[in-house]
């Protein structure tokens, strides 16, 4: 894929709180914001940063499973509820399991490139605390091939899937050293979340994070090969941002200094009905990231800030390898070395990632882009890291299901 | 909206049988094709018409409610299961309730216009006979605003919504004459379905169709203001087609004579949380169709073959008014005059529409475009009608929910 036919920008991001266990506002039996509340909060949070909602030409909404968690489909028609100026504008809902957010951005980018719009509002949302986790696990199994995988899968379907990957990785590269790396991943996730008031683990005050991360897998009868600290939690929330052409930025009165340009976009799907060929590799992630690098004409050596989809700590480690930051089997050492910490060479998941920030599924891919945009434009508040001038780009990896849909973006300042 | 930045074509359509009550193959307790089977049949049905699946750059899949009917999400990752050549290609799932198919085409059109792809495979699918209709009605209520509308809505949610519209129309324009027009709509639907072997009502051999259509509303305790013959049935099936640039058609070895060009595309969403302002009008449909006409620089006077979303007979009548074929309150007379029959001035729903062909929800918008393409390129077999040379364009109206998402296309031969 050659470069885009014209520049495309992302800007004016907004993330709600990631609500779920760990947040003081959360109580399982008390009323909580609805799907519609989150869509409005995130959408209006973006609109407050632009000159007028009138300039929004189209809307995109990303969501995975409101059909089951909230019995609600037809989500595109909720976008006009954000602002009356959005009535009768074209809106689209996209879904790609946990990569729904990435798909939403890809959709908006294509719309800008089509010349049909100069400004697209992208919203990603998920409300999953509506049911108990064990029922939710059945809903989320719809991100795998339900007909063939659910019956023989773990009651907690996706933790089971990634526990299998962790087990395969332990066998190939050593359980002890891998688990130690996973504990480091957890510690980094919480340390970063403590810098971000919207993060689900913002208030986490545990003393010895590495000790928690080192807890034996399955000690609590959960799944083989993972402990609870290896897992992202159940979250409610939304993220939104603007995707615009150069002309669109002008209309919105937005400074290019506060925006990032999309230099590379890679997307790949693999066959949901087939098991991964190698449990220790994220092959679809590798395909998508490679496409994004190719389009941006960069390698991992130019990436200075990174957002990977760590639905589980092991997934974060596998993603580092798929994106070229480490050879196969070497990412654990990289993590232990501090390379991905906020003071390291490539700060990764600077607001905590899925494990630390939370994972409101349909919004996560957008939340990643919001955070990369903030880092590169120095709007990240207490989460701000130093991005090396030798590594001026940010990379997002939005992954769905068991590495079956992936959207990856190379973002950078347009100098 | 001005015209597209380059020509976009639709071609190589494929419709599966619309399976449900009325089809001899259908038995509620016997095994039936799965969601995956339909996706494969329709996708492979398209691929057999092109030089090689290798030339497909991207995939789009349209579906409304597989999450509840089939417990399956993440549908984009089922596209690679159609053909191994599709592995790692970018694929997207879109959803807009019953307009999901229209959204899929809109998404593919934008992708072609973005220059990121020359050939996009679009598949739309729905499998709804997996549950009894009364449970399915709850799932389909997710096309409305479930939180506010479901509780006080009819057990059969959408028939209830459109019965309300029918009642309002009766009150304003006369019950008897409107019901007579609805009976004519039903008769036309079945007559047209009898020309199309894939139609759900292909085997319908009832003698006096008008008599059936005239049956009193609510005679069977169903909903006020509608009888069962006013309603589309529950259907399983899929449609697929190719969306391509001029370059893409060449790669595929496809003749432009067998394709239609997209001259106009109009899309509009209205706020799902608000009730329609006037029950006797489809205001969002009007917005979308007006945009499509404007872009194509035509009026309804140039439309010679029409596909409207007649989820209920009353909806077909309202759509004719929204699309400019009749003044408000006059479409009933138009239908009774034979204007929309296959021998009339503007043959409408030539394979039966939703009432006659069937309504596999996620596929319907694509099925409409397949049928218009076949009509304009004289590939419609026994369903072929004469399209007036004074009216060289076809129009599709893909509508979701209670007129809340609409995609409309003006299609024509590229001469």
């Amino acid at each position: 894929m050659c470069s885009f036919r014209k520049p495309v920008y992302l800007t004016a991001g907004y993330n709600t709180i990631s609500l779920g266990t760990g947040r003081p506002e959360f109580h399982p039996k008390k009323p909580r914001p609805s799907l519609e509340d989150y869509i409005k909060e995130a959408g209006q949070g973006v609109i407050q940063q632009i000159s007028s909602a009138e300039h929004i030409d189209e809307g995109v909404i990303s969501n995975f499973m409101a059909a089951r968690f909230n019995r609600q489909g037809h989500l595109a028609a909720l976008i006009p509820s954000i602002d009356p100026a959005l009535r009768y504008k074209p809106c689209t809902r996209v879904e790609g399991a946990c990569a729904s957010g990435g798909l939403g951005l890809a959709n908006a980018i294509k719309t800008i490139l089509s010349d049909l719009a100069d400004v697209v509002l992208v919203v990603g949302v998920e409300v999953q605390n509506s049911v108990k986790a064990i029922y939710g696990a059945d809903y989320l199994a719809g991100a795998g091939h339900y007909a063939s995988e659910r019956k023989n899968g773990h009651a907690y379907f996706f933790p089971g899937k990634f526990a299998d990957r962790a087990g395969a990785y332990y066998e190939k590269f050593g359980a002890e050293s891998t688990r130690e790396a996973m504990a480091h991943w957890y510690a980094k996730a919480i340390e970063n979340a403590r810098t971000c008031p919207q993060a689900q683990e913002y208030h986490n005050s545990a003393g010895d994070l590495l000790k928690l991360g080192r807890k034996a897998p399955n000690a609590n009868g959960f799944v083989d090969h993972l402990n609870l600290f290896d897992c992202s939690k159940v979250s409610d929330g939304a993220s939104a941002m603007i995707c615009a052409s150069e002309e669109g930025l002008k209309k919105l009165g937005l400074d290019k200094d506060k925006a990032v340009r999309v230099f590379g976009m890679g997307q790949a799907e693999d066959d949901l009905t087939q098991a991964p060929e190698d449990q220790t590799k994220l092959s679809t992630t590798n395909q998508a990231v490679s496409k994004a690098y190719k389009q941006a004409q960069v390698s991992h050596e130019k990436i200075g800030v990174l957002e990977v989809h760590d639905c589980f700590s092991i997934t974060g480690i596998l993603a580092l390898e798929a994106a070229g930051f480490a050879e196969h089997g070497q990412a654990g050492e990289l993590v232990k070395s501090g390379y991905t910490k906020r003071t390291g060479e490539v700060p990764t998941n600077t607001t905590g990632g899925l494990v630390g920030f939370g994972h409101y599924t349909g919004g996560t891919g957008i939340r990643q882009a919001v955070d990369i945009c903030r880092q590169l434009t120095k709007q990240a508040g207490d989460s701000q890291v130093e991005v090396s001038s030798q590594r001026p780009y940010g990379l997002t990896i939005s992954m769905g299901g068991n590495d079956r849909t992936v959207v990856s973006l190379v973002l950078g300042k347009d100098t």
Side-chain angles (χ1 to χ4, degrees), chain A:
Chain A
M1 188 198 292
C2 50
S3 64
F4 288 155
R5 53 177 292 272
K6 65 180 188 181
V8 181
Y9 301 90
L10 298 175
T11 187
Y14 186 95
N15 299 327
T16 71
I17 283 171
S18 179
L19 191 68
T21 59
R23 287 295 306 192
E25 304 92 333
F26 180 77
H27 187 291
K29 299 201 171 162
K30 289 194 180 155
R32 292 183 300 276
S34 68
L35 195 71
E36 294 87 329
D37 293 332
Y38 281 114
I39 292 168
K40 279 188 195 174
E41 182 190 339
Q44 291 171 357
V46 167
I47 287 170
Q48 281 165 12
Q49 301 174 54
I50 64 177
S51 57
S52 164
E54 300 282 351
H55 292 307
I56 297 172
D57 299 308
E58 299 211 8
V60 183
I61 187 162
S62 304
N63 171 268
F64 171 32
M65 222 6 129
R68 297 193 76 193
F69 283 107
N70 320 103
R71 300 191 176 194
Q72 186 63 60
H74 204 172
L75 301 179
L78 287 173
I79 292 183
S81 76
I82 296 170
D83 191 292
L86 302 178
R87 277 189 78 184
Y88 300 135
K89 301 280 174 86
C91 299
T92 303
R93 179 252 177 134
V94 295
E95 181 267 322
C98 311
S100 296
L103 279 187
L105 292 171
N107 188 275
I109 290 165
K110 287 176 186 173
T111 301
I112 297 299
L113 291 173
S114 77
D115 279 357
L116 295 178
D118 280 316
V119 177
V120 179
L121 172 66
V122 193
V123 183
V125 66
E126 206 84 36
V127 171
Q128 300 193 325
N129 284 298
S130 51
V131 299
K132 286 186 181 175
I134 186 71
Y135 301 120
D138 185 69
Y139 299 179
L140 298 175
H145 186 230
Y146 196 96
S148 71
E149 293 186 303
R150 180 62 176 136
K151 207 171 170 182
N152 301 317
H154 198 280
Y156 288 98
F157 185 79
F158 267 99
K161 287 284 164 200
F162 283 90
D164 290 350
R165 284 190 179 269
Y169 199 91
Y170 299 164
E171 196 166 317
K172 200 161 181 178
F173 301 113
E176 202 174 329
S177 66
T178 305
R179 286 224 47 83
E180 182 66 14
M182 289 159 76
H184 278 267
W185 189 273
Y186 172 71
K188 168 182 68 58
I190 304 305
E191 285 164 8
N192 286 349
R194 287 172 178 169
T195 69
C196 176
Q198 287 74 38
Q200 199 160 331
E201 299 298 323
Y202 179 60
H203 300 89
N204 184 320
S205 59
D208 191 340
L209 294 169
L210 276 177
K211 189 179 165 192
L212 288 175
R214 283 179 186 126
K215 280 204 174 178
N218 201 21
N220 41 26
F222 182 48
V223 294
D224 290 345
H225 310 308
L226 297 177
N227 66 39
L228 280 175
F229 306 98
D230 289 316
C231 306
S232 55
K233 293 178 170 180
V234 173
S235 313
D236 300 347
S239 286
M241 73 190 312
I242 290 288
C243 181
S245 66
E246 206 154 5
E247 194 57 35
L249 287 185
K250 280 183 207 153
K251 283 187 209 170
L252 297 174
L254 291 177
D255 195 335
K256 221 189 264 185
D257 276 356
K258 299 282 171 67
V260 287
R261 182 169 164 187
V262 185
F263 284 95
M265 173 167 79
Q267 187 186 338
E269 261 74 16
D270 199 4
D271 186 348
L272 193 65
T273 65
Q274 304 296 317
E277 282 150 16
D278 183 343
Q279 293 270 25
T280 66
K281 288 182 178 171
L282 300 179
S283 56
T284 312
T285 299
N286 177 256
Q287 289 277 337
V289 174
S290 300
K291 289 183 196 187
Y293 285 161
K294 190 175 171 192
Q295 192 189 18
Q297 298 184 296
V298 301
S299 74
H300 71 278
E301 292 175 352
K302 292 291 176 194
I303 304 299
V305 58
L306 179 60
E307 283 287 334
V308 304
H309 187 96
D310 59 333
C311 44
F312 304 94
S313 56
I314 185 68
T315 329
I317 288 166
L318 296 180
L320 290 173
E321 296 179 5
F325 291 92
E327 293 295 316
H328 191 39
Q330 299 298 313
E333 292 308 312
L334 197 74
V335 170
K336 283 187 271 183
S337 78
Y339 183 92
T340 57
K341 290 186 75 158
R342 54 195 309 103
T343 50
E345 192 160 348
V346 183
T348 299
N349 295 4
T350 60
T351 60
L354 284 64
V355 169
F357 181 89
H359 181 27
Y360 38 75
T361 318
T364 290
I366 298 162
R367 197 271 310 149
Q368 293 176 323
V370 170
D371 284 344
I372 292 284
C373 178
R374 287 177 176 169
Q375 288 292 351
L376 293 178
T377 59
K378 301 201 184 302
Q379 301 176 87
D382 290 344
S383 300
Q384 187 70 51
V385 297
E386 192 68 40
V387 181
S388 155
S389 61
Q390 302 302 305
R391 295 176 163 273
Y393 296 97
L395 180 77
T396 61
I397 300 175
S398 174
M399 189 187 85
N402 193 356
D403 187 45
R404 283 295 173 263
T405 284
V406 183
V407 179
S408 179
L409 301 176
V410 174
L411 305 174
K413 292 287 296 170
D414 193 20
T415 48

